[in-house]
Amino acid sequence: MLLMQFSAAGTDFPPIHTWTPEEISAHIAFMGEVNAKLIADGELVDGQGLAGPAQAKIVRAGAGGEPVVTEGPFAETKEFLAGYWIVDVESPERAVALAGWISTAPGPGGAPLNMPVEVHPVMSAPPQDM
């Protein structure tokens, strides 16, 4: 699984709501190219962009197991999950290569964002020794 992170701290680019329409279009077009290549290569299982932290909810079990919901925005949030891809690739190295490419998504002025993309193996079962 490739997790696209955005961080309010430590970034060299302004928030996306300040980008020009052309910069946003270029960024979205790049993500479309990523998806098209993953589909063409038979590697895409699923991928989605996610709403920002202001629309997120945190749910915990309360008394009797009833859900207790905390709604955003979360002022303390410095990083948030912006989207993900579940890919079926032949090696961990291929997943890392894809993450590196996704990290180059264009931002303001077309410069690569170099945003962090986490790579997580998806477990299909617990380890045999458990």
Side-chain angles (χ1 to χ4, degrees):
M1 178 176 248
L2 309 176
L3 303 171
M4 182 173 53
Q5 300 281 339
F6 271 103
S7 173
T11 58
D12 294 331
F13 55 88
I16 197 166
H17 71 272
T18 66
W19 299 7
T20 67
E22 294 80 18
E23 292 166 341
I24 293 171
S25 291
H27 185 78
I28 292 170
F30 177 87
M31 293 303 170
E33 290 172 25
V34 168
N35 292 343
K37 177 160 179 42
L38 292 172
I39 290 167
D41 292 346
E43 296 175 322
L44 183 66
V45 174
D46 187 28
Q48 302 294 327
L50 302 175
Q55 295 174 315
K57 297 179 182 348
I58 294 178
V59 180
R60 290 188 173 88
E66 291 296 315
V68 176
V69 179
T70 305
E71 298 189 21
F74 306 105
E76 69 279 4
T77 300
K78 292 183 175 58
E79 295 179 347
F80 65 93
L81 184 60
Y84 68 89
W85 292 265
I86 298 175
V87 295
D88 185 6
V89 294
E90 295 207 10
S91 69
E93 292 79 16
R94 175 66 178 150
V96 167
L98 289 170
W101 175 47
I102 292 167
S103 178
T104 68
L113 293 176
N114 298 324
M115 63 190 164
V117 177
E118 293 183 21
V119 178
H120 289 263
V122 176
M123 296 176 59
S124 59
Q128 293 290 348
D129 58 352
M130 291 190 87

